[in-house]
Amino acid sequence: MPVEKDENSKAPKPEHFGSSFVTLFLFLFLFHFFVAPAFRPRANEVLYSQFLKEVKDGKVGRALVGEEQIQYTLKSDLSKMQSTQEDNSTPPKTYVTRPIAGDTALSQLLAEKNVEFGAPPPDNSGVLTTLLGWIVPPLIFLGIWGWMLNRAQAGSGTALTVGKSKARIYSEGNTGVTFADVAGIDEAEEELQEIVEFLKNSDKYTRVGAKIPKGVLLVGAPGTGKTLLAKAVAGEAVVPFFSISGSEFIELFVGVGAARVRDMFKQAKQQAPCIVFIDELDALGKSRGGAGNLMGGNDEREQTLNQLLTEMDGFEANTGVIILAATNRPEVLDPALRRPGRFDRQIVVDRPDKLGREAILKVHIQKVELAADVDLGAIAARTPGFAGADLANLVNEAALLAARQNREAVTMADFNEAVERVIAGLEKKSRVLNEMEKKTVAYHEAGHAIVGTLMPGAGKVEKISIVPRGIGALGYTLQLPEEDRFLMAEDEIRGRIATLLAGRSAEEIVLGKISTGASDDIQKATDLAERTVTLYGMSQKLGPIALEKMQQQFLDGFSNPRRPISPKVTEEIDGEVKQLLDRAHQTALKILETNRSVLEEMTQQLLQKEILEGEQLRQYLEQVRSPEELAAWLNTGNYYLSTS
Ligand code: ADP
């Protein structure tokens, strides 16, 4: 496990700072309002008229006459204190009254009545009050500020660490990953071996005047192992590994991201030689001046990108800092990023082929107890299109299945179930279908299987099931290719569309009415037909012309925007797509009519057993005959084009 140190954790924690202010503030507050008054002399307040009366009656012994108040003691209380002689420290009872402004005759009266009188000593408690008046408000402010600081830190941990790079630092050589943990992407690995060599023996290169590359861009679909490769480079070269995601640079405030980039490079230079890994580079490196600007601009991202470009230019080639970045959308990156001296090397990290998948499985089963029947080659064959992360997930799913049943080892059946789980989703036995629905699903799936068997390039039908799975799938037909395919020929596309429409076709033929169950098939068939025309240039009428802008090479399921085209061409596209779909539909109907009896038998069997696979399925599928027109239909187009 890599020892991960969070950069932020180094900063002194401001919690104590904030809470000590709060405590001090509370103390002063309590002292001022509750403790201090307890020590002030207590006095009984009387009306001025009563005071005057008592003076005139000769009862007052002593008086301290201030501007705002008069404190006085009665003769009786004074003499009581002198006679008892007990404890001089207990003061005699004092009365207080407020003088009336302009009463100048008072001192005369007091003198006449032999009252000892004078001015009161200066009021020290007033000094304290004034002092508190000046100190307490700022303290309240500081207290609240400290408290908010505390909360902000405890919450996101980001609000006040403006400009600090959030790059996580893996301690030296301890990413815990080496090239032994990476499999199935040998070409990318070989390219990166060179980077390891640069880091380990930089002298060799600098001596002959060669410049070590500064930036390497890893391009590939999600989960193909880009992060893993970057960690492996750091692990092999035994250098520190800084990792940050492109999106972490982008903040609400303009300039924060740029400050983070600066800070990250500063840290990296201090630790050189090292690897800085920026994941999801596209989040910060999107082409400047794009459509985003029309929507009010994206100054923050642009400034951050500019800073990155400047920093990459700014450091010397041979400082030993190598920036590795990963993206699955290379086409949106700003061209300036790929200029020599920045990310001038691009390494494509592909999805693995069959041998690659087997190698990746070998890496991931190391800690898993396997039963004797597990054949990794067979699993690799069943998982075309799976990336490294999918395979890692698959092994884990299989292990979980075995553990759930308290078995000691993971069997081939666990792996097969795990593959289906990943492809089609979890079984949903709780979803109970009524008889009619079950029948519809069974005919639908048998239809897919029969047409799929006759079509080129799609592989063998391996399993048909009418157990609901995943989101919305009421049944499924598992068709696995015998080998990895990188191109699809035109007839194979036609076949694929016909297979997709075969479920609906079977419902039509046998039940005489159609259901909503085919919506997903129709969606996929239409997408494929449209791409055939607009992207692959396979329409004879429109010819090899690109009508879509290819934008997503590595992310599946993204639709590309159309090029600017005239309404007439749009109409022609629609016509071509419709024709393709209609013909495929007709062909599926024809095939199913030709094989009506097999369709019937298979469906009955499926209704009984719910799942058809292996030898039994093969026996049915062997009986499937192709109608005479099929070969002609498949070859209607006379050319083949790549669909990679
Ligand atoms: P990416 O960065 O390309 O999205 P990751 O490197 O994060 O993918 O891969 C996620 C996980 O998938 C890895 O931690 C690893 O367990 C597994 N994995 C991916 N590719 C490979 C590979 N080529 N060899 C072994 N394991 C892999």
Side-chain angles (χ1 to χ4, degrees), residues 177 179-186 189 218 220-231 277 279-280 326-328 349-350 352 356 359-361 363-364 387-393:
V177 183
F179 282 139
D181 298 310
V182 187
I185 38 176
D186 300 340
E189 209 176 304
L218 302 171
T224 43
K226 299 181 291 293
T227 314
L228 191 71
L229 268 175
K231 282 186 187 170
F277 177 64
D279 205 359
E280 321 273 356
T327 182
N328 38 40
V349 188
D350 258 336
I360 295 175
L361 284 169
V363 170
H364 287 284
D390 302 323
L391 293 168
N393 182 28

